[in-house]
Amino acid sequence: MGGYIVRVAGPLVTAKGLEKPMMYEVVRVGDLKLFGEIIGIENDLVFIQVYEDTNDVKPGEPVENTGQLLSVELGPGLTSSIFDGIQRPLTALQVNTGDFLTRGFSINALDRNKKWHFVPIVNEGSQVEPGTFLGDVDESSTVKHRIMVPPTISGKVQWIAPEGDYTVEETIAKVEQQGNVVELKLMQKWPVRIPRPVKEKVFSDIPMLTGQRILDVFFPVIKGGTACVPGPFGSGKTVIQHQLAKWSDVDVVVYVGCGERGNEMTEVLIEFPELKDPRTGGPLMDRTVLVANTSNMPVAAREASVFTGIAIAEYYRDMGYDVALMADSTSRWAEAMREISTRLEEMPGEEGYPAYLASRIASFYERSGFVKCLGEPERTGSVTVIGAVSPPGGDLSDPVVQATLRAVQVFWGLDQQLAFARHFPSINWLNSYSLYLDRIGQYYNRTFENDWLQKRNNAMVILQREAELLELVRLVGYDALSTEEQLYLETARSLREDFLQQDAFDDIDSYCSLRKQYVILSSILLIHEIILDHLRKGGDFNVLIKNPIRERVSQLRWLKEEDVPDWDTMERAIVESFSEEVKARD
Amino acid sequence: MIREFNTISEVNGPLVFVEGVGDAGYGELVEFILNGEVRRGQVLETTDKYALVQVFEGTQGLTPKTTVARFLGRGLTFGVSESILGRVFDGLGSPKDGKPQPFVDKYVDINGAPINPVSREYPAEFIQTGISAIDGMNTLVRGQKLPIFSGSGLPHARLAAQIASQAKVLSSEEKFAVVFAAMGITFEEANFFIQSFEKTGAIERSVLFLNLANDPTIERIATPRFALAAAEYLAFEKDMHVLAILTDMTNYCEALREISAARREVPGRRGYPGYMYTDLASIYERAGRIKGKKGSITQIPILTMPEDDRTHPIPDLTGYITEGQIFLSKDLQHKNIYPPIDVLQSLSRLMQRGIGQGHTREDHSAVANQIYAAYARGKDARELEIVLGEAALTDLDKLYVQFADRFEAEFIAQGEDENRSIEETLSIGWELLSMLPRSELKRIRDEYVNKYMPGVRG
């Protein structure tokens, strides 16, 4: 007799009599053969988290081993697809089971019938190691899919398939490994909870450009870095995540919708095929992999969804690509861990979360990085991880926020007050930070404009000064300020309205190139300096502040890229506009 | 597959242990028969030795020795057909209006199943509620879930009833229905809704599920699920546009907490269970549209915020799931403004795609943004005025204070029967914006100012 169920409590099922159960092994539970994973073994008892709804499941129903760890299928066909938390393709599920998700339906992640055009690049007889390219498949208009030797295989190529069309299951190469012949296919499998191996992690100072002014200038993230976006509801976390998924200068985006709204995934599905990748011109969807486990889908699969996402991200990284992974929201992932932990009757840590919460979060973010990939040719790739966090009541002392802050290098703190005033993105510039700033500043100075970091810091000083002055205004009123102080308030206001605010729903403003960012920022700062100088020489504040050039600068963000003048032209225009003032005074 | 047991070993609050069952299904429906009375319950945990059952009608008067537990071999279902329209049910789906059981087309699982995200249609169809603070500033669209965050003493019931009676989609006459689920509200409040539905004639197109304050607490866990099972049937099989009003979600969450406490689970914030987010999502996510289906479910859950605190777990978790919120404010209520909607704290996440040319009017988005900015500034200035006196304000700030006052009195405030068209709402907005110097209207394109600003003909 095989395994059978002895207890069902929500997503947790306890079974007995399983032969040689293995931790994190996939099992099929009950008459419906629901998908589950072993998460605890105690003598004869085996604890299973079930990735599907357990209604009507009874004690006595069978449980079957599969001998496999929870794995993902990796191969052509991942991009432009949408999967659930355990990599079932939702489009194929809809075709097979209708508009509502039904249980116990088994389906392959990658289409077994579709043929892909494979072009070999290795020769028979050559030695290959893990990660070496065997050939290419054009997966989409923007992604060339590199077919690699799986991480556990190396040896001599005995046979390689000629150029032609193959399904993901057909053999495309035979490799002799220690006397055995291994057949390789377009697809490989990898257990999600184990990081894919690399040669080494390396230091990087290349920014991941996002086209979002406050991020690129004030709080940038590097390729291979980590960032978190905590904020209360309604502060725009999801819009920021969507903006990053759209405009980041990476090759592949993996978007994990973890325990969030169904309509948000629908929005991505509608919008991304329409939008163009600013780098390649192809549809954004062609470089995007979606993993969706919405809030009403089974809670245990939510726990798995972030691992499914990161394993896919690592796979594309191994091809030598820059990959960005957005997880929205990691709080729902943590809550799923808490729910399972509670059902296991584990001793709780803070707020009922399991004691291993912080280490799980840290090890997830640590799968990011800029790496030298295994195999030939030599190449680098990166995975950048950006996690949204949804703390209860926006309270940053929440254990998930605190554990996340210890693991990430960039903090984009969202502010409810800014959101109420419809200042978007509502990232608070006073408490957010990026620990990559110096590195990236040097990179910008080296490759772009050499006063970048200086200008960024000057702008920050003005914004901080504004916060102090506003305190003062609250006590003594605006009129008590000197004209110099009033200028600080005016400049800070234009920084906020003309630079920090960015309209995600405006066709033009949604994305802002680095050059355009530089022109706007430099213009605001130059005007500030000139007026300050005039004031010190006795100029009239009310006249200076009404200079029409300020109006022109505030229109810059709405201009198309090609209509934005270069900095030299803009600089001349600004200086000239104040020359009348000088003449009048002199 | 009905099995009977008289082996109840333990009763703890709403929970009952039945020994020796061994094959109870998770979520299976159980009937307890005590002295001829039948109470219903649902399996919360099942093992090879016992089953743990929550009893909806409570365990008062339940004697372990003489009570028989009958396991029915199926979960909770509701018999649906179009003849449920115009009927009143109790919190567990039995007729409460004295009429016979309606004809049953089929039985559906009250828990439903999650909609495949691929099958969802993105909601973008503007619903005109006739209320300026909603239509103009926090637009509702078909298939949205937009809760009302209220407090005790605030007129959420009146507002919800007004929405139900006025809501319509521009340029269409389609089949609609109202599904109303009452959880732990007073007879008076329930009666208010019924009378208001009767007044507008909507009662013929309504299905009501009433669990009132004196009805069993645990029953409330099932009530919204019955209502949404009915809504799904009407929307996705009978092509109706369903407006589902669920009130009061705070009472629902308290019932959830009661069960969690009885099970001695590790409590989360304020004693609410850690899985409350997931549980609420299984209710709220049942709103939406499906590709290729004519009908839709628009949800308006109502909740009262304990101590008006929006960071309390109930509004907080709700806000994370729903697509915005309509926030009622005591301050506005004190100023005698109806509806007392605080537009700054309110939000409609689906607004962007439901407004503008082809939906409402081309200038809608810009006008709303400009009003938000101006009102926020006016409120800030008003606070400054309270601290420092009017003299401390600049002339411009004084203008903004006036703007904020007039905005509350003319735009937000309206009559309970006043049904404003979107054009009327926008013209009031323009009228107010015309108070401000044109250079302040940074968020509106010149062409719209020329076209719509009163007194400006471009």
Side-chain angles (χ1 to χ4, degrees):
Chain A
M1 177 178 179
Y4 59 96
I5 298 173
V6 295
R7 175 173 179 253
V8 186
L12 185 78
V13 164
T14 313
K16 252 186 186 170
L18 271 176
E19 257 176 60
K20 292 188 194 156
M22 170 171 65
M23 273 301 267
Y24 298 118
E25 179 183 352
V26 172
V27 289
R28 307 310 293 258
V29 177
D31 297 334
L32 287 169
K33 295 190 186 302
L34 303 179
F35 213 76
E37 185 185 13
I38 297 179
I39 53 165
I41 302 170
E42 207 179 288
N43 298 323
D44 193 27
L45 291 179
V46 172
F47 300 96
I48 300 160
Q49 62 176 349
V50 181
Y51 292 126
E52 300 180 78
D53 186 23
T54 52
N55 261 323
D56 303 333
V57 175
K58 301 178 193 63
E61 290 185 15
V63 178
E64 292 165 26
N65 296 69
T66 61
Q68 294 201 332
L69 295 175
L70 183 65
S71 301
V72 280
E73 292 186 356
L74 302 169
L78 289 170
T79 54
S80 334
S81 294
I82 177 166
F83 300 101
D84 75 356
I86 47 174
Q87 216 202 2
R88 277 181 300 199
L90 287 172
T91 313
L93 271 184
Q94 182 201 21
V95 172
N96 284 290
T97 68
D99 295 328
F100 292 89
L101 295 170
T102 43
R103 298 183 288 164
F105 190 80
S106 194
I107 189 165
N108 292 314
L110 297 177
D111 189 340
R112 292 296 192 266
N113 299 319
K114 179 156 183 175
K115 294 215 172 208
W116 298 92
H117 191 75
F118 172 73
V119 182
I121 53 172
V122 294
N123 298 320
E124 282 168 14
S126 57
Q127 279 289 326
V128 291
E129 46 183 307
T132 296
F133 290 166
L134 293 168
D136 293 331
V137 164
D138 280 327
E139 186 178 0
S140 69
S141 68
T142 55
V143 177
K144 189 183 270 294
H145 197 107
R146 311 295 201 161
I147 305 301
M148 297 174 289
V149 178
T152 50
I153 311 269
S154 61
K156 199 167 101 183
V157 178
Q158 210 181 55
W159 176 80
I160 181 89
E163 181 173 343
D165 296 342
Y166 302 90
T167 68
V168 291
E169 278 186 319
E170 281 175 85
T171 302
I172 48 103
K174 290 179 186 165
V175 172
E176 195 184 320
Q177 184 178 30
Q178 291 160 356
N180 298 321
V181 174
V182 190
E183 295 189 346
L184 300 182
K185 310 182 156 101
L186 291 182
M187 175 186 82
Q188 47 179 289
K189 286 192 179 185
W190 188 260
V192 295
R193 294 182 195 277
I194 301 172
R196 283 176 63 90
V198 295
K199 258 186 209 147
E200 57 175 333
K201 275 196 179 183
V202 290
F203 180 87
S204 141
D205 64 358
I206 306 171
M208 183 179 89
L209 296 178
T210 63
Q212 309 303 303
R213 289 185 290 266
I214 186 166
L215 303 186
D216 289 349
V217 171
F218 284 90
F219 311 107
V221 61
I222 56 166
K223 286 189 170 142
T226 48
C228 73
V229 203
F233 66 85
S235 57
K237 280 183 302 296
T238 300
V239 177
I240 289 181
Q241 291 279 42
H242 282 194
Q243 287 295 90
L244 292 172
K246 284 176 199 168
W247 309 124
S248 295
D249 66 336
V250 293
D251 303 296
V252 174
V253 168
V254 180
Y255 193 97
V256 184
C258 175
E260 291 288 305
R261 303 176 184 87
N263 278 332
E264 284 170 0
M265 297 316 293
T266 311
E267 189 179 4
V268 174
L269 285 173
I270 293 172
E271 212 174 12
F272 277 35
E274 309 269 309
L275 291 169
K276 287 211 163 58
D277 182 346
R279 301 195 316 153
T280 60
L284 271 184
M285 200 62 201
D286 279 5
R287 66 163 199 184
T288 309
V289 184
L290 297 173
V291 179
N293 207 82
T294 57
S295 57
N296 56 339
M297 283 155 77
V299 70
R302 205 188 287 169
E303 199 270 331
S305 65
V306 298
F307 291 107
T308 298
I310 195 118
I312 293 172
E314 285 177 340
Y315 174 67
Y316 280 100
R317 171 204 67 193
D318 290 347
M319 295 178 203
Y321 289 132
D322 292 319
V323 184
L325 177 120
M326 281 88 200
D328 184 16
S329 151
T330 57
S331 290
R332 307 303 163 220
W333 169 54
E335 278 166 14
M337 276 194 260
R338 172 167 70 183
E339 183 162 350
I340 304 290
S341 165
T342 307
R343 308 266 187 193
L344 278 171
E345 290 167 10
E346 290 174 339
M347 186 66 86
E350 242 177 306
E351 301 245 357
Y353 285 105
Y356 46 80
L357 173 76
S359 59
R360 283 274 173 93
I361 288 178
S363 62
F364 164 68
Y365 281 103
E366 207 46 29
R367 287 176 78 169
S368 66
F370 194 89
V371 305
K372 279 192 182 152
C373 309
L374 289 177
E376 296 293 324
E378 270 200 26
R379 59 196 186 272
T380 56
S382 68
V383 174
T384 311
V385 176
I386 293 150
V389 194
S390 321
D395 175 8
L396 296 183
S397 69
D398 165 60
V400 183
V401 176
Q402 288 304 315
T404 305
L405 285 180
R406 291 208 300 275
V408 303
Q409 305 291 311
V410 179
F411 167 73
W412 297 324
L414 298 181
D415 189 312
Q416 192 141 43
Q417 293 308 321
L418 290 175
F420 287 163
R422 300 310 192 256
H423 172 114
F424 288 116
S426 65
I427 295 170
N428 184 321
W429 50 90
L430 296 174
N431 71 7
S432 299
Y433 61 79
S434 165
L435 299 180
Y436 300 123
L437 200 59
D438 285 341
R439 272 197 234 178
I440 293 184
Q442 283 160 19
Y443 176 87
Y444 281 152
N445 290 352
R446 201 170 66 231
T447 59
F448 184 58
E449 297 283 350
N450 61 19
D451 56 355
W452 183 275
L453 195 56
Q454 186 59 43
K455 283 190 169 153
R456 183 260 175 208
N457 290 342
N458 288 350
M460 203 63 196
V461 167
I462 293 171
L463 288 166
Q464 271 158 356
R465 188 77 194 276
E466 180 198 31
E468 293 161 19
L469 289 172
L470 286 178
E471 281 294 304
L472 203 64
V473 168
R474 240 163 256 139
L475 292 173
V476 297
Y478 187 78
D479 290 341
L481 298 184
S482 70
T483 50
E484 217 170 281
E485 286 168 332
Q486 288 179 20
L487 172 65
Y488 269 94
L489 289 187
E490 279 296 326
T491 308
R493 187 174 144 179
S494 59
L495 279 172
R496 281 188 283 114
E497 291 181 359
D498 307 329
F499 190 81
L500 296 178
Q501 281 189 24
Q502 193 165 350
D503 187 346
F505 300 101
D506 185 272
D507 291 343
I508 294 169
D509 199 31
S510 184
Y511 172 82
C512 188
S513 72
L514 204 54
R515 186 186 75 85
K516 187 169 158 187
Q517 297 186 20
Y518 183 81
V519 172
I520 302 178
L521 183 67
S522 304
S523 302
I524 296 173
L525 292 175
L526 181 63
I527 291 173
H528 177 79
E529 276 164 37
I530 293 177
I531 298 184
L532 196 61
D533 188 50
H534 281 295
L535 286 178
R536 285 177 182 159
K537 289 175 186 156
D540 183 345
F541 177 74
N542 288 320
V543 174
L544 288 163
I545 209 70
K546 291 204 174 100
N547 190 314
I549 191 75
R550 294 187 72 226
E551 181 59 32
R552 202 179 143 201
V553 169
S554 76
Q555 290 303 321
L556 283 175
R557 61 185 271 221
W558 307 108
L559 295 185
K560 280 192 190 132
E561 183 62 35
E562 57 268 25
D563 298 335
V564 177
D566 60 37
W567 171 231
D568 288 341
T569 316
M570 198 65 207
E571 190 176 19
R572 267 198 308 278
I574 293 171
V575 172
E576 240 160 63
S577 74
F578 282 97
S579 61
E580 292 300 312
E581 247 70 42
V582 180
K583 277 183 215 144
R585 204 179 59 233
D586 296 343
Chain B
M1 253 265 292
I2 296 172
R3 295 94 70 212
E4 289 193 355
F5 298 88
N6 58 357
T7 48
I8 296 174
S9 66
E10 192 184 323
V11 183
N12 172 14
L15 304 181
V16 169
F17 280 86
V18 188
E19 298 283 344
V21 185
D23 66 343
Y26 180 72
E28 186 173 348
L29 186 60
V30 185
E31 284 179 350
F32 292 94
I33 296 133
L34 46 153
N35 305 329
E37 186 196 345
V38 177
R39 291 187 196 170
R40 278 172 291 179
Q42 192 177 17
V43 174
L44 282 187
E45 184 181 328
T46 168
T47 75
D48 51 352
K49 298 191 177 61
Y50 66 87
L52 174 66
V53 184
Q54 65 175 0
V55 186
F56 291 121
E57 288 98 333
T59 50
Q60 201 175 359
L62 189 146
T63 320
K65 280 195 177 146
T66 56
T67 303
V68 174
R70 181 190 287 159
F71 287 74
L72 300 184
R74 59 176 175 89
L76 266 175
T77 55
F78 182 56
V80 288
S81 71
E82 277 190 77
S83 51
I84 59 175
L85 285 168
R87 299 294 305 269
V88 182
F89 299 90
D90 69 8
L92 284 175
S94 308
K96 204 183 184 176
D97 47 10
K99 296 183 206 159
Q101 189 78 37
F103 164 76
V104 173
D105 177 18
K106 63 178 200 174
Y107 286 93
V108 293
D109 179 358
I110 64 158
N111 292 309
I115 301 176
N116 187 331
V118 173
S119 297
R120 280 184 186 267
E121 180 89 70
Y122 197 79
E125 230 178 325
F126 169 65
I127 298 180
Q128 181 173 297
T129 65
I131 297 163
S132 294
I134 296 177
D135 292 351
M137 309 296 285
N138 297 288
T139 316
L140 178 68
V141 295
R142 250 182 194 167
Q144 184 172 14
K145 36 192 181 289
L146 190 64
I148 298 176
F149 283 15
S150 183
S152 34
L154 290 174
H156 47 261
R158 281 156 65 196
L159 179 61
Q162 190 178 359
I163 294 173
S165 74
Q166 296 182 354
K168 68 161 187 183
V169 173
L170 295 182
S171 76
S172 75
E173 288 299 324
E174 285 160 317
K175 287 198 284 183
F176 79 98
V178 176
V179 170
F180 178 77
M183 291 156 279
I185 62 171
T186 58
F187 169 76
E188 214 160 302
E189 196 168 338
N191 205 38
F192 169 80
F193 275 104
I194 294 172
Q195 282 185 351
S196 130
F197 294 156
E198 274 170 357
K199 203 170 76 187
T200 57
I203 196 82
E204 300 297 318
R205 314 279 317 155
S206 304
V207 192
L208 284 75
F209 296 85
L210 302 181
N211 165 285
L212 301 183
N214 57 350
D215 286 331
T217 319
I218 306 306
E219 192 178 289
R220 283 165 208 165
I221 304 274
T223 308
R225 299 191 160 86
F226 274 99
L228 290 166
E232 278 168 2
Y233 172 80
L234 296 173
F236 302 130
E237 295 189 32
K238 297 292 163 194
D239 296 340
M240 293 180 197
H241 292 289
V242 180
L243 182 70
I245 299 174
L246 314 172
T247 178
D248 176 330
M249 291 305 290
T250 305
N251 296 332
Y252 171 85
C253 292
E254 275 165 7
L256 211 57
R257 176 165 69 176
E258 194 175 326
I259 296 203
S260 172
R263 293 187 71 181
R264 300 192 183 92
E265 289 171 338
V266 184
R269 282 172 74 223
R270 301 226 185 173
Y272 292 97
Y275 49 80
M276 194 157 87
Y277 176 84
T278 307
D279 189 278
L280 285 174
S282 71
I283 293 176
Y284 296 141
E285 276 289 325
R286 291 173 81 175
R289 305 209 59 169
I290 291 180
K291 279 181 197 149
K293 307 248 179 189
K294 281 195 192 134
S296 65
I297 301 178
T298 309
Q299 257 190 41
I300 303 199
I302 298 172
L303 56 90
T304 45
M305 289 177 287
E307 298 154 46
D308 300 320
D309 174 10
R310 67 181 270 152
T311 68
H312 184 281
I314 299 171
D316 191 51
L317 295 178
T318 298
Y320 274 123
I321 304 164
T322 54
E323 286 141 349
Q325 69 276 342
I326 300 294
F327 193 99
L328 301 189
S329 130
K330 282 229 163 90
D331 288 344
L332 290 174
Q333 164 92 341
H334 291 153
K335 289 185 188 168
N336 233 340
I337 287 170
Y338 172 87
I341 296 174
D342 180 344
V343 294
L344 297 186
Q345 298 222 48
S346 303
L347 172 73
S348 166
R349 292 168 189 271
L350 304 184
M351 179 170 175
Q352 284 299 336
R353 282 174 188 272
I355 63 173
Q357 195 144 29
H359 299 280
T360 54
R361 211 170 73 181
E362 51 182 1
D363 57 325
H364 189 161
S365 174
V367 169
N369 278 330
Q370 190 68 60
I371 293 180
Y372 268 122
Y375 182 53
R377 177 139 182 214
K379 275 186 91 172
D380 281 349
R382 197 194 274 159
E383 264 172 44
L384 204 63
E385 188 183 356
I386 293 167
V387 181
L388 297 167
E390 203 191 333
L393 298 186
T394 61
D395 288 343
L396 190 58
D397 275 339
K398 281 178 202 158
L399 210 51
Y400 272 110
V401 173
Q402 276 178 33
F403 177 89
D405 291 342
R406 278 190 62 191
F407 174 71
E408 288 170 3
E410 295 170 31
F411 189 95
I412 303 271
Q414 66 183 86
E416 221 167 306
D417 299 318
E418 190 180 348
N419 191 353
R420 290 186 191 154
S421 72
I422 184 66
E423 278 78 20
E424 285 172 77
T425 294
L426 290 174
S427 12
I428 299 174
W430 276 109
E431 180 68 40
L432 294 173
L433 288 175
S434 69
M435 292 170 66
L436 301 173
R438 189 154 164 181
S439 59
E440 285 297 300
L441 306 183
K442 277 193 174 179
R443 301 188 186 210
I444 308 183
R445 285 195 227 163
D446 283 347
E447 57 169 298
Y448 296 152
V449 177
N450 293 336
K451 192 163 166 193
Y452 296 109
M453 176 77 90
V456 177
R457 277 280 161 251

